[in-house]
Amino acid sequence: MAKNSNRDGRAPTQRMLQVGEKIRRTLSEILQRGDVHDPDLGRMSITVGEVRMSPDLRVATAFVLPLGGKDKELMLDALRRNRHEIRHLVVRGGSQKYAPELRFEIDGTFDQMDATRALLDSKHVKQDLDD
């Protein structure tokens, strides 16, 4: 499945992209300011790489990663534990009529980039490129 595709394989609509980006920015600001009342989240710097919306805009999946990539599971547990408070803060800070359900997943983009870089640096690929 493509990075920005729906479950049915179709590309996201313009509206899905716009709403996802608004929620991403709002969520980033909330986490940066430390608005969530949780000591675990208060100690972390979290990057929100992308927010994907469901076609009906009722579910927002945020792809997140702690700065430095450490304590991923602790971060994920804290976000999931506080999802209702975060949902309330997202709506208060945005212009949506209703709050989508928030889901949190680990952002694997950086790992994929590292794997691609390692593949391109491998001896066999360099040999093919030199030919």
Side-chain angles (χ1 to χ4, degrees):
M1 188 180 324
K3 182 180 178 204
N4 286 327
S5 64
N6 299 331
R7 288 180 193 225
D8 59 6
R10 290 183 291 163
T13 65
Q14 191 67 29
R15 182 74 179 140
M16 289 167 63
L17 294 172
Q18 288 172 342
V19 172
E21 180 58 20
K22 281 183 183 178
I23 291 174
R24 188 198 68 77
R25 277 188 265 128
T26 304
L27 186 55
S28 292
E29 291 169 5
I30 289 166
L31 294 172
Q32 182 181 11
R33 287 190 310 255
D35 291 348
V36 182
H37 299 97
D38 186 299
D40 289 334
L41 289 176
R43 289 190 297 266
M44 294 182 192
S45 292
I46 299 172
T47 301
V48 183
E50 179 183 6
V51 173
R52 295 183 198 161
M53 300 302 300
S54 64
D56 62 3
L57 303 179
R58 294 188 184 273
V59 178
T61 303
F63 291 87
V64 294
L65 193 66
L67 192 62
K70 296 178 183 170
D71 298 324
K72 292 178 188 178
E73 290 305 317
L74 177 66
M75 174 208 62
L76 210 51
D77 289 342
L79 288 169
R80 289 175 176 165
R81 186 174 57 242
N82 292 285
R83 70 184 180 278
H84 298 295
E85 180 183 0
I86 296 169
R87 181 182 186 189
H88 174 74
L89 292 168
V90 165
V91 171
R92 190 179 72 188
S95 59
Q96 298 91 309
K97 291 182 181 177
Y98 64 91
E101 175 189 339
L102 291 177
R103 297 179 184 169
F104 297 97
E105 298 294 334
I106 300 293
D107 188 350
T109 305
F110 296 107
D111 293 337
Q112 290 172 348
M113 288 180 0
D114 289 343
T116 301
R117 189 174 296 116
L119 180 64
L120 292 173
D121 287 342
S122 74
K123 182 175 76 171
H124 299 294
V125 172
K126 283 186 176 187
Q127 178 184 5
D128 289 345
L129 292 175
D130 289 342
D131 287 347

